[in-house]
């Protein structure tokens, strides 16, 4: 159990570091369209959800390979953590901006950090629950749906608030 706990802490640090770097990667690569599929291409909330989703997905491959034998629920718990952390980004953002009436940069950072920590904490807790294995298909399907949505909506976003880039008037 100690190994799993350390792995989840390492995963949190990895996602926070990789997500922070990913925020700038699209511009750093001269707006490379492939990089844009995996990293934010603008300042919309939708694009910022990628900051948790893709780094945590990449880390999940590592942790599943490393811990599957000792923790048979690791696959479903990591999928659940990915979905949770990704969806918490808009939940926290829209909650605080509706309450305060404005967007505050430090709270945006806090949203990313808190979403990541909760995602890994939930993944850790549920990796220890044997019943979680029966939810692997459901959470795996949600991860696939999010993945396909990110790939499609990056360059073909619907006209909804979550996809709007606030820096464009």
């Amino acid at each position: 159990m100690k190994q799993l706990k350390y792995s989840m802490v390492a995963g949190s640090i990895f996602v926070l570091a990789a997500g922070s770097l990913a925020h700038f990667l699209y511009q750093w690569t001269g707006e490379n369209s492939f990089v844009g599929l995996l990293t934010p291409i603008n300042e919309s909330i939708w694009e910022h959800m990628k900051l948790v989703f893709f780094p945590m997905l990449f880390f999940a491959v590592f942790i599943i390979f490393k811990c599957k034998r000792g923790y048979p629920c690791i696959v479903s718990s990591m999928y659940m953590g990915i979905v949770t952390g990704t969806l918490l980004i808009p939940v926290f953002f829209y909650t605080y901006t509706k309450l305060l009436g404005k967007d505050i940069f430090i709270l945006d950072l806090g949203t990313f950090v808190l979403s990541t920590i909760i995602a890994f904490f939930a993944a850790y807790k549920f990796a220890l629950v044997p019943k979680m294995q029966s939810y692997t298909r459901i959470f795996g399907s949600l991860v696939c749906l999010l993945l396909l949505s990110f790939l499609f909506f990056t360059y073909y976003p619907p006209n909804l608030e979550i996809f709007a880039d606030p820096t464009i008037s």
Side-chain angles (χ1 to χ4, degrees):
M1 197 152 59
K2 208 175 214 183
Q3 176 193 15
L4 182 63
K5 189 180 288 186
Y6 288 134
S7 295
M8 294 297 181
V9 169
S12 297
I13 293 167
F14 171 78
V15 169
L16 291 171
S20 297
L21 290 173
H23 188 274
F24 304 102
L25 198 57
Y26 181 67
Q27 276 72 36
W28 290 346
T29 61
E31 299 186 356
N32 179 288
S33 57
F34 176 74
V35 170
L37 292 172
L38 308 177
T39 64
I41 64 166
N42 62 44
E43 293 298 318
S44 72
I45 300 310
W46 175 259
E47 290 295 316
H48 281 77
M49 291 165 64
K50 293 177 182 180
L51 299 178
V52 172
F53 182 83
F54 284 106
M56 193 163 179
L57 182 63
F58 294 137
F59 186 80
V61 172
F62 166 76
I63 195 79
I64 289 167
F65 179 75
K66 181 180 175 187
C67 295
K68 188 170 179 159
R69 186 166 286 167
Y71 300 94
C73 299
I74 193 71
V75 175
S76 57
S77 69
M78 286 306 295
Y79 287 163
M80 186 271 311
I82 292 167
V83 171
T84 300
T86 302
L87 296 181
L88 283 176
I89 296 283
V91 168
F92 289 152
F93 176 80
Y94 288 119
T95 299
Y96 98 74
T97 56
K98 294 300 179 202
L99 289 172
L100 299 178
K102 62 182 177 177
D103 178 15
I104 300 172
F105 177 71
I106 194 73
L107 294 179
D108 292 344
L109 291 176
T111 292
F112 171 56
V113 171
L114 190 58
S115 297
T116 301
I117 290 169
I118 290 171
F120 275 98
F121 180 76
Y124 169 74
K125 286 296 191 183
F126 284 106
L128 306 173
V129 177
K131 288 182 181 180
M132 272 304 287
Q133 205 164 3
S134 62
Y135 295 100
T136 302
R137 197 170 286 185
I138 293 168
F139 285 116
S141 296
L142 290 172
V143 168
C144 287
L145 180 62
L146 277 170
L147 174 65
L148 292 173
S149 297
F150 282 126
L151 297 178
F152 183 77
F153 293 140
T154 292
Y155 294 111
Y156 303 101
N159 190 19
L160 299 170
E161 182 181 357
I162 195 168
F163 297 96
D165 183 349
T167 61
I168 298 174
S169 299

